[in-house]
Amino acid sequence: MLQERHWRSYYKHVLLLAYQSCGVVYGDLSTSPLYVYKSTFAGSLRRFEDEETIFGVFSLVFWTITLIPLLKYVFIVLSADDNGEGGTFALYSLLVRHAKISLMPNQQAADEELSTYHKPGYAPQDTAILRALRRFLENHSKSRTCLLLTVLFGASLVIGDGVLTPAMSVMSSFSGLQVHSHTLTNGEVVILSCIVLVCLFTLQHWGTHRVAFLFAPVIVTWLLLLGGTGVYNIIVWNPRVFYALSPTYLVRFFMRTGREGWIALGGVLLSMTGTEAMFADLGHFTATSIRVAFVGLIYPCLVLQYMGQAAFLSKTPECDIHFIFFKSIPVQLFWPVLVVATLASIVGSQAVITATFSIVRQCMALGCFPRVKIVHTSSLIPGQIYSPEINWLLMLVCLGVTVGFRDTMLIGNAYGMACSGVMVVTTLLMTLVIIFVWQLGFIMATLFLLAFGVVEAAYLSAALMKVPQGGWLPLALSLQFVAIMYTWHYGTRLKHSFDVQNKVSLRWIHALGPSLGIVRVPGIGLIYSELASGVPAVFSHFVTNLPAFHQVLVFVCVKAVPVPHVCPEERHLVGRIGPRDFHMFRCVVRYGYKDVLGEESDFENDLVLRIAEFVHMEAADNRPSDGAASAVEGRMSVVRRPGDLARTGRLLVQEPADEESLVVRAATAATDGDKSDTLESLQAIYEAESPAGAAYGGRRQRVRFELSDLAGEHVDPEVKAELAAIVEAKHAGVAYIMGHSYIKARKSSNVFKKFTIDIAYNFLRKNSRGPAVALNIPHISLIEVGMIYYV
C-alpha cells in the first residue's frame, strides 16, 4: 500500500512537471507550423505543387521530427545530463572532467573530489584505443582549442536564436491579419511586430515569474488547437494523407524534384526549431517529464497539424502559400487561433531570450565572455535571470533584422541555418560523450554519428545553399560572438599564465619572518587573485611601494569548476601559508558554471568563521603549523560553516543581540565528538540574521566577534592566541586588495597577438564590468593595485 502511494505521488509529480515544461521548453517548437510549409514551397518547388509532392514534403517533415527530436533528443541526448543540467556547456563539462581536455586555468586535484564531479559508480576504462585518443586530446593544445571553439560556436548560434526566434515568431503570427484584412501592408505588419518586440524586451527586467503560470496554459491550448484543426482538415479535405506516413513518398519526392527538393530541405528543417531547448532547459525539469510531454502531447499534435495542412494544401493548390497556416484554419476559429498564436509566439520568444541570458552567464563562468551585469529577477527561482546589456543588444539586433529583412522567408533561411548548426555541434559533442563518458566504444559512437550526423549534414548543406538569401546572418552573428568569446578567453589565459610565472616565492616569504619585513597594521587584508596556489605578484608589488600590510592576510581565489553546481558545504577550500605566527591563509571559493556568483549575503563574516574553524581542524588533526614543513603552502581542506560540523573543539557561543548587531564569541564548548547546543542555536541565528534575500537588496547585518572567557580552558594556547589575533584583526576592519591590471603584448609578439591583446581584449576589458563589481566587493573597502602584464 505504501509503495503504491509512493508511485502514485511520483506519477503526479512527473505529470505536473510535464505540464509545466510545455510552457518553458516547447514554446518555440510548437510555433513551427506557422512557417514550415510556406518556407518549404517558397522557392522553385512551387512548380511541383501537386498532391504527390505535397505528400512527399509532409513525409519529410514527419520523418524529420521523428528521427531528430524524438529519437535523437528524447531517447538519447536527454540521457547525457550533467547532474541534471543540459545544453552545449553540459556536454563540454562532461568531456572536460572525463578526458581532461580543459583550457580553464586554476584547476586543482581537489576539484575532482567534489561530489558532483563523477557519477556514483563511475570507473574509467583503459583500452588501448581510448587511451591513445585521450592522450592525443590531452597533449595537443590545438585539438583542445578546436573543441572549445566548436562549443563556443554552438553557444553563439543559440545566442543568435535569441535574435531570430522573436522576429520570426511574432512576424509570422501577425501576418495572419493579412488574411482577413487585405489592405494591411507588409510595412504595417513590420511596425506592429516591432512594437510587440520592443514591449517584449522592455519587460524583461521585471522577470517572467509573475506571468510564468500563464505559459503552460497558453502553449497547451495552442497545441490542442493545432491538433484539433489538423484532425478537422484531414477529415474534411483529404484523408488519403495518411498514406504519406510511408517513407516511400520521401524517396519519390527526391526522385521527382531533384535539386529543388534538396534546397527545400532548408524549409523542412524549420520543423525542428526549438528542439535544442529540450536539452538546454533540462535543469528546470526532469528528463522523464520532458519525455512524457513530448511523446504524449507535443509530437502527436504537431504531426496532426502538419498532416492537416498537407491535406488542405493538396486540395487547394491555388491558395496563397504565404498564409497557408491561417488559410487552413476554419473561419469560425480564425480569431481565437490568431490570438492564441500571438500569445504562443511571445511565450516561445520569452523562453529563448531567457535561455540566451543563461548561455551568457555560463560563458562568463567559464571565462569565455566579458563580465556583464546579471540580475536575478526572482529570489525563489534560480534560473530567472536578466542581463541589461545583453537584453538591449538583442533588442537592437532583433529590430534591425525585422526592419531590414521585412520578410519571414529571409528570416526563416537565417533561422534554419542557426538551427542546423546547433544540432551538428550537439551531435559531434555527443559522439565524444559516448566514447569518453558513457564508454560504449567506437562502434556505438560511429553508429550514432552516421545515423544522425549524415541527416543533419544534409540539412546543413541545404541551409548553406541559402546563405545569400538570409542564411549569412546567423553565420555573421556567430562569428562575431565567437571572436569576442575567444578573445576574452585568450587574454584571460595569458593573464593567468603571467601570474603563475611571476608568483612570489613562498620560501622567500618564509625567510622574512613573521613581520614579512614590513609593518603589520591592524585588520584583515583579503587579497584577491586568480591563483589557486602561490602568492600573487600583486602582493609584492603592493608592499614594495607601501611597506605595510594587515595583521591577518587571506589570499582569496574565486574560480569556476567544470560542474553545474557546487554544494555550499564543498564550496570553500581553506589552507595556511607559512607558519602559524605569520597569520596568512588561503581561501579558494569554487562555483559551478550555473551557480550564482557572489550570492553570499555576508561573505567576510562567513570567511572569518571558516578560518576559525580551519584553525581548530588543524589543531585537532595535529597538523604541523611551524618549521620547515610550513615553508611551503600547506594542504587545503574543505571547510563548512561551523554549525555544519560535528568535530571536536567547538567554536562559537551566542549572546543576546539587538536588532542592529549580532555578537558572536569564539569559544570551545564541547568534548570530543559532541556538538554543543549553543553551536546549533548559533548556526540557526546566524542564518536567520544573514538571509539569502540580502543578496537581493536586504540590509547587511553588523556582526562582531569576541573571544570567549572560556576559550582557554580546553584549547591549545597557540590556537587561543591565533583566534585572538583573528578576532582583533576583524574588529580593526577588513580591506579588499585587488589588482587593477593593464595587459599589453610583448614587443616581440606578432601583429595578430598585438591586435588581439592591445586593441581587442583591452577594448572588451574597458567596456565590461570590473571584477570588484562582479564579486560584489564594497567600494569603500577596496584597494586597487596597478599592475602591467606583458604577455
Side-chain angles (χ1 to χ4, degrees), residues 405-429:
F405 282 173
R406 304 171 65 90
D407 187 359
T408 54
M409 299 298 176
L410 297 176
I411 299 177
N413 293 338
Y415 201 11
M417 182 74 233
C419 173
S420 58
V422 172
M423 290 183 176
V424 169
V425 170
T426 300
T427 298
L428 294 175
L429 294 177

PDB file of all heavy atoms in Angstrom, residues 405-429:
ATOM      1  N   PHE A 405      15.040  42.821 -43.032  1.00  0.00           N
ATOM      2  CA  PHE A 405      14.574  41.733 -43.898  1.00  0.00           C
ATOM      3  C   PHE A 405      13.130  41.932 -44.339  1.00  0.00           C
ATOM      4  O   PHE A 405      12.796  41.659 -45.488  1.00  0.00           O
ATOM      5  CB  PHE A 405      14.714  40.394 -43.170  1.00  0.00           C
ATOM      6  CG  PHE A 405      16.120  39.857 -43.160  1.00  0.00           C
ATOM      7  CD1 PHE A 405      16.440  38.736 -42.416  1.00  0.00           C
ATOM      8  CD2 PHE A 405      17.127  40.475 -43.880  1.00  0.00           C
ATOM      9  CE1 PHE A 405      17.732  38.223 -42.399  1.00  0.00           C
ATOM     10  CE2 PHE A 405      18.425  39.984 -43.875  1.00  0.00           C
ATOM     11  CZ  PHE A 405      18.727  38.860 -43.131  1.00  0.00           C
ATOM     12  N   ARG A 406      12.261  42.337 -43.410  1.00  0.00           N
ATOM     13  CA  ARG A 406      10.848  42.608 -43.697  1.00  0.00           C
ATOM     14  C   ARG A 406      10.133  41.421 -44.345  1.00  0.00           C
ATOM     15  O   ARG A 406       9.090  41.587 -44.968  1.00  0.00           O
ATOM     16  CB  ARG A 406      10.711  43.833 -44.620  1.00  0.00           C
ATOM     17  CG  ARG A 406      11.362  45.080 -44.111  1.00  0.00           C
ATOM     18  CD  ARG A 406      11.380  46.173 -45.152  1.00  0.00           C
ATOM     19  NE  ARG A 406      10.049  46.609 -45.495  1.00  0.00           N
ATOM     20  CZ  ARG A 406       9.400  47.589 -44.887  1.00  0.00           C
ATOM     21  NH1 ARG A 406       9.979  48.230 -43.875  1.00  0.00           N
ATOM     22  NH2 ARG A 406       8.188  47.937 -45.259  1.00  0.00           N
ATOM     23  N   ASP A 407      10.706  40.248 -44.230  1.00  0.00           N
ATOM     24  CA  ASP A 407      10.144  39.074 -44.899  1.00  0.00           C
ATOM     25  C   ASP A 407      10.480  37.839 -44.072  1.00  0.00           C
ATOM     26  O   ASP A 407      11.643  37.579 -43.777  1.00  0.00           O
ATOM     27  CB  ASP A 407      10.724  38.950 -46.309  1.00  0.00           C
ATOM     28  CG  ASP A 407      10.056  37.838 -47.111  1.00  0.00           C
ATOM     29  OD1 ASP A 407       9.163  37.165 -46.563  1.00  0.00           O
ATOM     30  OD2 ASP A 407      10.440  37.650 -48.279  1.00  0.00           O
ATOM     31  N   THR A 408       9.452  37.075 -43.711  1.00  0.00           N
ATOM     32  CA  THR A 408       9.690  35.869 -42.911  1.00  0.00           C
ATOM     33  C   THR A 408      10.429  34.801 -43.704  1.00  0.00           C
ATOM     34  O   THR A 408      11.010  33.888 -43.103  1.00  0.00           O
ATOM     35  CB  THR A 408       8.352  35.302 -42.409  1.00  0.00           C
ATOM     36  OG1 THR A 408       7.474  35.091 -43.510  1.00  0.00           O
ATOM     37  CG2 THR A 408       7.694  36.249 -41.412  1.00  0.00           C
ATOM     38  N   MET A 409      10.417  34.875 -45.017  1.00  0.00           N
ATOM     39  CA  MET A 409      11.163  33.905 -45.822  1.00  0.00           C
ATOM     40  C   MET A 409      12.661  34.056 -45.583  1.00  0.00           C
ATOM     41  O   MET A 409      13.379  33.072 -45.353  1.00  0.00           O
ATOM     42  CB  MET A 409      10.860  34.087 -47.310  1.00  0.00           C
ATOM     43  CG  MET A 409       9.405  33.890 -47.669  1.00  0.00           C
ATOM     44  SD  MET A 409       8.864  32.222 -47.306  1.00  0.00           S
ATOM     45  CE  MET A 409       7.132  32.365 -47.718  1.00  0.00           C
ATOM     46  N   LEU A 410      13.145  35.299 -45.626  1.00  0.00           N
ATOM     47  CA  LEU A 410      14.567  35.548 -45.414  1.00  0.00           C
ATOM     48  C   LEU A 410      14.966  35.249 -43.972  1.00  0.00           C
ATOM     49  O   LEU A 410      16.016  34.658 -43.712  1.00  0.00           O
ATOM     50  CB  LEU A 410      14.898  37.002 -45.764  1.00  0.00           C
ATOM     51  CG  LEU A 410      14.683  37.410 -47.225  1.00  0.00           C
ATOM     52  CD1 LEU A 410      14.965  38.908 -47.415  1.00  0.00           C
ATOM     53  CD2 LEU A 410      15.550  36.579 -48.148  1.00  0.00           C
ATOM     54  N   ILE A 411      14.092  35.652 -43.029  1.00  0.00           N
ATOM     55  CA  ILE A 411      14.386  35.350 -41.628  1.00  0.00           C
ATOM     56  C   ILE A 411      14.381  33.843 -41.411  1.00  0.00           C
ATOM     57  O   ILE A 411      15.197  33.301 -40.650  1.00  0.00           O
ATOM     58  CB  ILE A 411      13.359  36.034 -40.705  1.00  0.00           C
ATOM     59  CG1 ILE A 411      13.417  37.550 -40.889  1.00  0.00           C
ATOM     60  CG2 ILE A 411      13.627  35.683 -39.246  1.00  0.00           C
ATOM     61  CD1 ILE A 411      12.380  38.305 -40.079  1.00  0.00           C
ATOM     62  N   GLY A 412      13.470  33.132 -42.094  1.00  0.00           N
ATOM     63  CA  GLY A 412      13.409  31.679 -41.978  1.00  0.00           C
ATOM     64  C   GLY A 412      14.677  31.015 -42.482  1.00  0.00           C
ATOM     65  O   GLY A 412      15.138  30.016 -41.906  1.00  0.00           O
ATOM     66  N   ASN A 413      15.266  31.549 -43.558  1.00  0.00           N
ATOM     67  CA  ASN A 413      16.538  30.998 -44.047  1.00  0.00           C
ATOM     68  C   ASN A 413      17.639  31.143 -43.000  1.00  0.00           C
ATOM     69  O   ASN A 413      18.439  30.221 -42.783  1.00  0.00           O
ATOM     70  CB  ASN A 413      16.941  31.707 -45.342  1.00  0.00           C
ATOM     71  CG  ASN A 413      15.995  31.405 -46.487  1.00  0.00           C
ATOM     72  OD1 ASN A 413      15.281  30.394 -46.471  1.00  0.00           O
ATOM     73  ND2 ASN A 413      15.964  32.274 -47.478  1.00  0.00           N
ATOM     74  N   ALA A 414      17.669  32.320 -42.333  1.00  0.00           N
ATOM     75  CA  ALA A 414      18.661  32.530 -41.280  1.00  0.00           C
ATOM     76  C   ALA A 414      18.380  31.622 -40.087  1.00  0.00           C
ATOM     77  O   ALA A 414      19.302  31.042 -39.485  1.00  0.00           O
ATOM     78  CB  ALA A 414      18.648  34.000 -40.850  1.00  0.00           C
ATOM     79  N   TYR A 415      17.109  31.491 -39.766  1.00  0.00           N
ATOM     80  CA  TYR A 415      16.700  30.663 -38.631  1.00  0.00           C
ATOM     81  C   TYR A 415      17.101  29.206 -38.843  1.00  0.00           C
ATOM     82  O   TYR A 415      17.600  28.532 -37.931  1.00  0.00           O
ATOM     83  CB  TYR A 415      15.186  30.787 -38.499  1.00  0.00           C
ATOM     84  CG  TYR A 415      14.631  30.424 -37.147  1.00  0.00           C
ATOM     85  CD1 TYR A 415      15.448  30.222 -36.041  1.00  0.00           C
ATOM     86  CD2 TYR A 415      13.263  30.294 -36.977  1.00  0.00           C
ATOM     87  CE1 TYR A 415      14.914  29.910 -34.811  1.00  0.00           C
ATOM     88  CE2 TYR A 415      12.719  29.981 -35.751  1.00  0.00           C
ATOM     89  CZ  TYR A 415      13.544  29.788 -34.671  1.00  0.00           C
ATOM     90  OH  TYR A 415      13.009  29.471 -33.458  1.00  0.00           O
ATOM     91  N   GLY A 416      16.890  28.699 -40.051  1.00  0.00           N
ATOM     92  CA  GLY A 416      17.256  27.319 -40.358  1.00  0.00           C
ATOM     93  C   GLY A 416      18.745  27.083 -40.282  1.00  0.00           C
ATOM     94  O   GLY A 416      19.200  26.018 -39.833  1.00  0.00           O
ATOM     95  N   MET A 417      19.528  28.083 -40.688  1.00  0.00           N
ATOM     96  CA  MET A 417      20.985  27.968 -40.612  1.00  0.00           C
ATOM     97  C   MET A 417      21.427  27.811 -39.153  1.00  0.00           C
ATOM     98  O   MET A 417      22.261  26.956 -38.819  1.00  0.00           O
ATOM     99  CB  MET A 417      21.606  29.232 -41.219  1.00  0.00           C
ATOM    100  CG  MET A 417      23.111  29.245 -41.249  1.00  0.00           C
ATOM    101  SD  MET A 417      23.779  28.157 -42.493  1.00  0.00           S
ATOM    102  CE  MET A 417      24.897  27.212 -41.500  1.00  0.00           C
ATOM    103  N   ALA A 418      20.861  28.623 -38.257  1.00  0.00           N
ATOM    104  CA  ALA A 418      21.225  28.546 -36.840  1.00  0.00           C
ATOM    105  C   ALA A 418      20.792  27.212 -36.236  1.00  0.00           C
ATOM    106  O   ALA A 418      21.539  26.588 -35.474  1.00  0.00           O
ATOM    107  CB  ALA A 418      20.590  29.708 -36.076  1.00  0.00           C
ATOM    108  N   CYS A 419      19.596  26.772 -36.594  1.00  0.00           N
ATOM    109  CA  CYS A 419      19.058  25.522 -36.034  1.00  0.00           C
ATOM    110  C   CYS A 419      19.915  24.328 -36.431  1.00  0.00           C
ATOM    111  O   CYS A 419      20.299  23.511 -35.586  1.00  0.00           O
ATOM    112  CB  CYS A 419      17.619  25.334 -36.513  1.00  0.00           C
ATOM    113  SG  CYS A 419      16.893  23.749 -36.084  1.00  0.00           S
ATOM    114  N   SER A 420      20.231  24.212 -37.707  1.00  0.00           N
ATOM    115  CA  SER A 420      21.015  23.064 -38.174  1.00  0.00           C
ATOM    116  C   SER A 420      22.430  23.098 -37.611  1.00  0.00           C
ATOM    117  O   SER A 420      23.011  22.050 -37.281  1.00  0.00           O
ATOM    118  CB  SER A 420      21.055  23.047 -39.709  1.00  0.00           C
ATOM    119  OG  SER A 420      21.608  24.256 -40.219  1.00  0.00           O
ATOM    120  N   GLY A 421      23.007  24.287 -37.475  1.00  0.00           N
ATOM    121  CA  GLY A 421      24.356  24.391 -36.924  1.00  0.00           C
ATOM    122  C   GLY A 421      24.447  23.911 -35.491  1.00  0.00           C
ATOM    123  O   GLY A 421      25.374  23.186 -35.112  1.00  0.00           O
ATOM    124  N   VAL A 422      23.479  24.299 -34.652  1.00  0.00           N
ATOM    125  CA  VAL A 422      23.474  23.871 -33.248  1.00  0.00           C
ATOM    126  C   VAL A 422      23.351  22.356 -33.148  1.00  0.00           C
ATOM    127  O   VAL A 422      24.011  21.704 -32.326  1.00  0.00           O
ATOM    128  CB  VAL A 422      22.326  24.567 -32.490  1.00  0.00           C
ATOM    129  CG1 VAL A 422      22.182  23.979 -31.097  1.00  0.00           C
ATOM    130  CG2 VAL A 422      22.577  26.059 -32.393  1.00  0.00           C
ATOM    131  N   MET A 423      22.503  21.766 -34.001  1.00  0.00           N
ATOM    132  CA  MET A 423      22.296  20.316 -33.935  1.00  0.00           C
ATOM    133  C   MET A 423      23.546  19.547 -34.349  1.00  0.00           C
ATOM    134  O   MET A 423      23.854  18.501 -33.762  1.00  0.00           O
ATOM    135  CB  MET A 423      21.116  19.929 -34.827  1.00  0.00           C
ATOM    136  CG  MET A 423      19.787  20.400 -34.286  1.00  0.00           C
ATOM    137  SD  MET A 423      18.407  19.858 -35.285  1.00  0.00           S
ATOM    138  CE  MET A 423      17.040  20.475 -34.309  1.00  0.00           C
ATOM    139  N   VAL A 424      24.262  20.052 -35.322  1.00  0.00           N
ATOM    140  CA  VAL A 424      25.509  19.388 -35.730  1.00  0.00           C
ATOM    141  C   VAL A 424      26.534  19.453 -34.596  1.00  0.00           C
ATOM    142  O   VAL A 424      27.227  18.461 -34.315  1.00  0.00           O
ATOM    143  CB  VAL A 424      26.056  20.037 -37.018  1.00  0.00           C
ATOM    144  CG1 VAL A 424      27.468  19.543 -37.305  1.00  0.00           C
ATOM    145  CG2 VAL A 424      25.154  19.722 -38.207  1.00  0.00           C
ATOM    146  N   VAL A 425      26.632  20.604 -33.931  1.00  0.00           N
ATOM    147  CA  VAL A 425      27.558  20.736 -32.801  1.00  0.00           C
ATOM    148  C   VAL A 425      27.190  19.754 -31.692  1.00  0.00           C
ATOM    149  O   VAL A 425      28.061  19.077 -31.118  1.00  0.00           O
ATOM    150  CB  VAL A 425      27.558  22.186 -32.271  1.00  0.00           C
ATOM    151  CG1 VAL A 425      28.318  22.273 -30.954  1.00  0.00           C
ATOM    152  CG2 VAL A 425      28.179  23.122 -33.298  1.00  0.00           C
ATOM    153  N   THR A 426      25.897  19.631 -31.384  1.00  0.00           N
ATOM    154  CA  THR A 426      25.452  18.694 -30.350  1.00  0.00           C
ATOM    155  C   THR A 426      25.790  17.258 -30.724  1.00  0.00           C
ATOM    156  O   THR A 426      26.220  16.461 -29.879  1.00  0.00           O
ATOM    157  CB  THR A 426      23.937  18.836 -30.125  1.00  0.00           C
ATOM    158  OG1 THR A 426      23.643  20.173 -29.703  1.00  0.00           O
ATOM    159  CG2 THR A 426      23.452  17.866 -29.057  1.00  0.00           C
ATOM    160  N   THR A 427      25.613  16.902 -31.995  1.00  0.00           N
ATOM    161  CA  THR A 427      25.926  15.541 -32.444  1.00  0.00           C
ATOM    162  C   THR A 427      27.412  15.244 -32.299  1.00  0.00           C
ATOM    163  O   THR A 427      27.805  14.153 -31.849  1.00  0.00           O
ATOM    164  CB  THR A 427      25.495  15.355 -33.904  1.00  0.00           C
ATOM    165  OG1 THR A 427      24.083  15.538 -33.997  1.00  0.00           O
ATOM    166  CG2 THR A 427      25.848  13.966 -34.409  1.00  0.00           C
ATOM    167  N   LEU A 428      28.265  16.184 -32.657  1.00  0.00           N
ATOM    168  CA  LEU A 428      29.712  15.981 -32.521  1.00  0.00           C
ATOM    169  C   LEU A 428      30.112  15.801 -31.054  1.00  0.00           C
ATOM    170  O   LEU A 428      30.907  14.914 -30.720  1.00  0.00           O
ATOM    171  CB  LEU A 428      30.463  17.160 -33.143  1.00  0.00           C
ATOM    172  CG  LEU A 428      30.326  17.334 -34.657  1.00  0.00           C
ATOM    173  CD1 LEU A 428      31.024  18.608 -35.114  1.00  0.00           C
ATOM    174  CD2 LEU A 428      30.894  16.134 -35.387  1.00  0.00           C
ATOM    175  N   LEU A 429      29.562  16.648 -30.184  1.00  0.00           N
ATOM    176  CA  LEU A 429      29.891  16.529 -28.767  1.00  0.00           C
ATOM    177  C   LEU A 429      29.340  15.235 -28.174  1.00  0.00           C
ATOM    178  O   LEU A 429      29.997  14.585 -27.347  1.00  0.00           O
ATOM    179  CB  LEU A 429      29.340  17.739 -28.003  1.00  0.00           C
ATOM    180  CG  LEU A 429      29.973  19.096 -28.332  1.00  0.00           C
ATOM    181  CD1 LEU A 429      29.278  20.207 -27.556  1.00  0.00           C
ATOM    182  CD2 LEU A 429      31.459  19.101 -28.023  1.00  0.00           C
TER     183      LEU A 429
END
